[in-house]
Amino acid sequence: MEDDVSSLLDGLNTAQREAVAAPLTHVLILAGAGSGKTRVLVHRIAWLLQTGQALAPTILAVTFTNRAAGELRGRISELLGHTPSGLWSGTFHGIAHRLLRIHWREAQLPESFQILDSDDQLRAIRRLLKASGLDDKTYPPRQVQHFINQCKEQGNRAHQLSLAGANSWQIQVTELYASYEQMCQQSGLVDFAELLLRTYELLRDNEELRVHYQNRFRHILVDEFQDTNFLQYEWLKLIAGQHNYLFIVGDDDQSIYGWRGARIENIQSFPKQYQNVIMVRLEQNYRSTAMILKAANAIISRNEHRLGKELWTDGADGDPLFIYSAYNEEDEANFIISKIQAAGGAYQDNAILYRTSAQSRVIEEALIKAQMPYRIFGGMRFYERAEIKDALAFMRLVAHRDDDTAFERVINTPKRGIGERTVENIRVVARQQGLSMWQAVNGMIQNGVIKGRSLNSLVAFQKHIETLAEQRERLFLSQFVEFVVKESNLHAHYQKEGKEEAQRRIENLDELANAAVGFEDRAQEGLDPLTELLAHAALEAGTNQGSAGEDCVQLMTLHLAKGLEFKRVFLCGLEEGLFPHQNSLDEGNLEEERRLCYVGITRAREQLYLCHCETRYRYGQRDFSAPSRFLNEIPSELTDSVRLNTPKVKAHTGARDGFQLGDRVLHEKYGEGVIVDQEGQGEFTRVQVAFADQAKWLILSYARMERITAIKLSQR
DNA sequence: GAAAGCGTGTTTTTT
DNA sequence: ACACGCTTTC
């Protein structure tokens, strides 16, 4: 036993050991990028178990994303050689969901409550707006959605909001929030924020349950703590109570989700919030070269509000960072491609990272032209696809007839002759009588309110759902999925859309049946496979990457790159206004942009290329931007530049007025030419130069840019 | 009920 | 420039 335990510390560095073997008190691990954070988390859990300080059921491990949760679970099993039973690990939402499924009665939910994803939520809000007769120009659905979610994340129910001093918009939206809450309760629907809020209230208001879980979860480990929002932190505090131990892992320098409610203060003030906090910094980096780390440190050190940390490595210095000043976005893309080709090796060792997803298009086009395989991360995910959501909506109705969002989705899809008029009538009756739409239809048929073709169609629809429900009892889940798809005529429905599209949709539906197989054995644990599948679909929308497995160049936004690493990274679009993004500058969020840059830089193991364009199309207009300030924040001894050989022309401190029409210029890329046109406005001067075979617009000066792109050879 | 026209916004995205 | 969502039109 002794040996087992000490072997857990073998191969860890001093700081990691200190973290893993920390005494039982609150612990804050400031884990720099690439410093072995997951390793520490996993070893800490193993340490607690193997030293006998904790039994598995007393441990709760919380992560943010399903990816992190999966990795954590996998590595715990790997390290221990088995999966500890009774240990709870998962995402905030996953764990909240689990609690609500167990305590649905105490949480005042129907046993078969369903989860509303963001898309369902938005649709529900649209319908509510319409029902309230509100103009969706004045009350944009997305804004209303944001308002509601924000309230919930602040822990506020509609009735708790103070309307003192509120304007009419706020009053109106608060009313909408109230009717949204009522609708969800009526239909037994729970959105993402509700999962957390409902669990929070459940434990807060139910002493018996609260004490039970506080006594159970002695050890609470939290990953990516810098990403927690207000409610998530309150939720943790509630479960931790006065006597349990919080083991918090995070990195304030990698907080990049402030815009969606993450509170960097949560981690920054944690040592002040609790007494007896042991703080451990993991600063030794096992990922990147010293050059890359120095650049990362230099940039992030410009941020004022940090707990402070400096990455180091005992590895090699590595190559200098390479800065490329492209002429435009196509040049930028081609440069990246040429470097990937020159480097050779696997394509998947290369990642192209950008600030905004719009930047991917030009790069994608260049990759296609170069016939280089690539994969773009982001975009539509498996369970978000229309055909999947259609099929799932039928199943949701089977599981829970009162699910109005599912009802609305499939009441006339595929077309079954139930028009908007009829659906509206159902909505009105449901609202007036406080019923779900399914119940309303029942009543309306019995009372003979509905007649003719609508009646037949509605009866057929009811029968359809009941037929599906009967089969649910008889079939394995995967067979049931196939049955639902077939019986609901979904194939024929999509076939109308054109051949290739239909083919893809049908393949996805087959894949859904495939995925269902994985839930069939849940029945042995006393769980209902269908409920499990539906929850999974909402909580884990699936991967958003295309053809996995192939050797591809990887394209993604900087945000999506967090937590990943690549041998070679291309950071592109490093331009003022794009990165840092203008909106962030306007809102005074420069520090978060800088953290994003830090995240991007620290993704690279060996080579890092930083690109900026002198000009690019933005919003349909050619735009000229100065290089990003982040480039200037990297010490020049760490960088090489393609313009390194460009002589600086002393005579032209402001090249703006040093050039005239007719001047002969030498340009490093295009050779010799003559200035034939000139325009300059504000900070910029551009000239059109006629080269041997083409004319090019070039930038001669930026207001704050020392580098010039062309030098004057002679005057004429 | 589909196609065409119009107006508008356009950072980042997980659960 | 371009994509979207909504309205108009046939």
Side-chain angles (χ1 to χ4, degrees):
Chain A
M1 189 66 183
E2 265 309 291
D3 285 296
D4 271 348
V5 174
S6 70
S7 76
L8 273 177
L9 301 179
D10 291 348
L12 299 181
N13 65 39
T14 313
Q16 289 174 335
R17 241 179 251 192
E18 197 189 330
V20 167
L24 291 185
T25 176
H26 298 306
V27 182
L28 172 61
I29 311 296
L30 267 190
S35 64
K37 150 193 93 135
T38 309
R39 194 142 189 251
V40 163
L41 219 40
V42 169
H43 280 248
R44 172 67 173 183
I45 290 171
W47 173 264
L48 288 173
L49 292 172
Q50 295 194 359
T51 54
Q53 293 180 84
L55 296 170
T58 67
I59 297 176
L60 173 67
V62 193
T63 64
F64 255 83
T65 64
N66 292 301
R67 188 175 80 191
E71 197 188 336
L72 192 63
R73 271 195 285 267
R75 285 175 65 173
I76 291 171
S77 307
E78 195 187 326
L79 183 64
L80 295 175
H82 66 275
T83 306
S85 75
L87 185 152
W88 277 31
S89 71
T91 63
F92 276 100
H93 294 85
I95 288 163
H97 175 245
R98 190 166 174 181
L99 285 166
L100 292 181
R101 282 274 172 231
I102 297 172
H103 302 293
W104 53 273
R105 224 187 292 266
E106 294 91 331
Q108 282 144 44
L109 287 168
E111 185 174 11
S112 59
F113 75 88
Q114 297 293 308
I115 302 170
L116 221 54
D117 70 18
S118 312
D119 182 60
D120 297 330
Q121 185 188 35
L122 188 62
R123 287 164 187 264
I125 289 168
R126 284 214 175 95
R127 290 198 307 269
L128 229 50
L129 276 163
K130 211 170 234 170
S132 315
L134 293 174
D135 175 20
D136 57 7
K137 294 241 163 34
T138 320
Y139 302 93
R142 278 176 194 287
Q143 241 164 287
V144 176
Q145 182 183 29
H146 183 243
F147 176 88
I148 292 174
N149 289 336
Q150 215 172 29
C151 289
K152 290 191 180 188
E153 282 164 16
Q154 293 298 319
N156 291 319
R157 295 285 176 195
H159 68 87
Q160 292 171 310
L161 292 172
S162 158
L163 289 175
N167 58 35
S168 68
W169 193 91
Q170 289 163 329
I171 292 169
Q172 200 61 255
V173 174
T174 304
E175 259 172 53
L176 269 168
Y177 178 21
S179 44
Y180 171 78
E181 276 182 318
Q182 205 207 331
M183 184 280 292
C184 286
Q185 188 60 35
Q186 170 71 55
S187 308
L189 299 171
V190 175
D191 63 42
F192 289 133
E194 184 72 28
L195 285 169
L196 293 173
L197 182 53
R198 191 66 77 120
T199 317
Y200 174 77
E201 291 171 340
L202 171 72
L203 296 180
R204 184 194 62 193
D205 302 339
N206 188 322
E207 193 186 353
E208 198 185 324
L209 279 182
R210 181 176 68 245
V211 168
H212 171 79
Y213 282 104
Q214 286 178 343
N215 284 338
R216 171 172 178 171
F217 294 124
R218 287 295 177 202
H219 309 273
I220 301 164
L221 299 92
V222 189
D223 191 18
E224 304 277 20
F225 188 65
Q226 77 283 350
D227 288 337
T228 47
N229 64 29
F230 175 84
L231 181 59
Q232 284 158 343
Y233 193 18
E234 292 303 309
W235 191 93
L236 283 172
K237 286 188 213 166
L238 190 62
I239 294 176
Q242 293 301 307
H243 308 293
N244 297 326
Y245 307 113
L246 286 165
F247 190 89
I248 300 292
V249 183
D251 181 359
D252 55 335
D253 290 335
Q254 291 189 71
S255 164
I256 57 173
Y257 286 111
W259 51 274
R260 66 176 199 216
R263 302 203 335 170
I264 193 172
E265 316 86 273
N266 288 354
I267 187 167
Q268 289 178 335
S269 64
F270 185 77
K272 287 177 229 152
Q273 289 274 309
Y274 284 91
Q275 292 170 340
N276 304 324
V277 175
I278 293 180
M279 184 147 124
V280 181
R281 287 183 164 78
L282 303 181
E283 296 173 294
Q284 183 174 1
N285 175 290
Y286 296 95
R287 179 186 294 158
S288 312
T289 64
M291 287 278 203
I292 291 168
L293 295 179
K294 279 180 190 162
N297 285 331
I299 286 192
I300 201 65
S301 70
R302 305 265 179 157
N303 273 4
E304 268 183 49
H305 309 289
R306 338 168 36 210
L307 285 165
K309 188 165 34 56
E310 194 158 324
L311 296 176
W312 61 276
T313 175
D314 57 13
D317 275 0
D319 300 331
L321 281 58
F322 197 91
I323 297 177
Y324 181 68
S325 302
Y327 301 104
N328 56 38
E329 61 269 50
E330 277 167 51
D331 185 23
E332 179 182 55
N334 289 327
F335 167 77
I336 292 168
I337 290 169
S338 72
K339 286 295 171 192
I340 293 173
Q341 279 165 342
Y347 288 121
Q348 64 201 12
D349 285 336
N350 301 281
I352 306 175
L353 311 182
Y354 34 80
R355 176 69 238 272
T356 69
S357 29
Q359 287 167 255
S360 69
R361 223 194 67 225
V362 175
I363 301 169
E364 190 179 2
E365 279 164 11
L367 284 160
I368 291 170
K369 215 182 256 172
Q371 301 195 313
M372 192 176 279
Y374 65 93
R375 173 161 55 147
I376 298 184
F377 286 68
M380 192 61 91
R381 300 153 84 207
F382 183 74
Y383 288 104
E384 290 168 355
R385 295 172 176 282
E387 63 274 23
I388 300 301
K389 295 211 74 169
D390 288 344
L392 289 175
F394 285 107
M395 297 184 226
R396 272 165 61 167
L397 277 179
V398 168
H400 184 74
R401 303 288 193 288
D402 297 334
D403 184 340
D404 283 358
T405 49
F407 183 96
E408 290 263 8
R409 186 162 187 117
V410 291
I411 180 62
N412 200 29
T413 301
K415 307 265 177 295
R416 52 174 57 83
I418 300 172
E420 183 50 32
R421 263 312 258 289
T422 309
V423 177
E424 182 55 29
N425 288 340
I426 299 169
R427 283 190 201 110
V428 169
V429 170
R431 204 158 42 235
Q432 282 172 352
Q433 305 187 11
L435 301 170
S436 70
M437 290 176 77
W438 180 269
Q439 293 166 347
V441 170
N442 278 338
M444 288 163 84
I445 290 174
Q446 272 172 19
N447 300 338
V449 182
I450 299 175
K451 300 184 191 76
R453 206 168 53 138
S454 297
L455 177 65
N456 292 333
S457 302
L458 278 171
V459 170
F461 179 70
Q462 286 185 315
K463 252 201 197 124
H464 175 56
I465 299 297
E466 297 300 350
T467 306
L468 298 180
E470 281 165 30
Q471 293 307 311
R472 172 201 184 181
E473 310 299 330
R474 300 205 182 110
L475 300 172
F476 283 117
L477 187 61
S478 57
Q479 295 172 317
F480 175 64
V481 171
E482 282 166 7
F483 184 78
V484 169
V485 170
K486 186 163 159 278
E487 202 69 6
S488 306
N489 261 327
L490 288 176
H491 280 202
H493 174 63
Y494 299 123
Q495 216 76 56
K496 289 180 207 151
E497 293 188 25
K499 227 170 152 196
E500 278 176 41
E501 189 63 22
Q503 187 58 37
R504 229 197 334 271
R505 289 190 194 279
I506 288 165
E507 279 169 20
N508 285 330
L509 289 170
D510 291 343
E511 186 51 41
L512 181 63
N514 248 339
V517 178
F519 293 87
E520 288 170 357
D521 58 7
R522 299 291 178 90
Q524 289 155 20
E525 303 162 46
L527 298 166
D528 170 45
L530 177 58
T531 307
E532 294 293 302
L533 171 68
L534 293 175
H536 173 86
L539 288 174
E540 308 190 30
T543 92
N544 53 14
Q545 63 210 49
S547 57
E550 304 244 325
D551 179 26
C552 287
V553 176
Q554 327 239 34
L555 276 72
M556 68 193 83
T557 61
L558 285 156
H559 284 88
L560 284 176
K562 191 170 139 207
L564 304 177
E565 61 175 69
F566 311 92
K567 184 175 176 187
R568 194 173 300 107
V569 166
F570 297 87
L571 260 180
C572 51
L574 279 147
E575 294 136 43
E576 282 295 299
L578 183 61
F579 189 32
H581 198 275
Q582 191 57 49
N583 295 1
S584 298
L585 294 173
D586 294 345
E587 293 159 18
N589 284 338
L590 179 63
E591 293 215 342
E592 183 156 309
E593 293 287 289
R594 196 177 273 116
R595 291 192 290 269
L596 190 57
C597 186
Y598 173 80
V599 166
I601 289 176
T602 52
R603 296 311 94 195
R605 286 203 294 265
E606 296 177 21
Q607 275 112 37
L608 179 61
Y609 291 86
L610 305 159
C611 312
H612 74 94
C613 300
E614 288 172 347
T615 157
R616 76 165 67 236
Y617 270 107
R618 263 189 105 187
Y619 307 139
Q621 286 223 309
R622 194 152 273 293
D623 217 48
F624 304 93
S625 320
S628 170
R629 67 190 72 192
F630 301 144
L631 288 171
N632 295 326
E633 292 173 3
I634 302 174
S636 56
E637 64 266 25
L638 300 175
T639 62
D640 264 354
S641 158
V642 77
R643 298 287 168 77
L644 216 60
N645 297 323
T646 307
K648 295 219 166 125
V649 181
K650 284 186 191 134
H652 299 138
T653 44
R656 194 183 305 211
D657 31 52
F659 289 85
Q660 290 170 11
L661 291 185
D663 283 356
R664 281 207 314 134
V665 297
L666 173 66
H667 193 270
E668 71 203 64
K669 180 153 181 171
Y670 302 115
E672 253 182 74
V674 175
I675 297 179
V676 295
D677 198 359
Q678 181 165 6
E679 50 178 61
Q681 260 195 340
E683 300 187 346
F684 305 105
T685 301
R686 305 197 297 152
V687 291
Q688 192 176 32
V689 182
F691 295 104
D693 54 343
Q694 56 188 329
K696 289 269 175 191
W697 282 100
L698 303 176
I699 313 303
L700 290 191
S701 71
Y702 298 107
R704 288 175 302 276
M705 186 182 166
E706 286 164 21
R707 189 187 293 138
I708 63 171
T709 61
I711 55 167
K712 183 155 71 171
L713 284 181
S714 70
Q715 224 163 310
R716 239 191 58 94

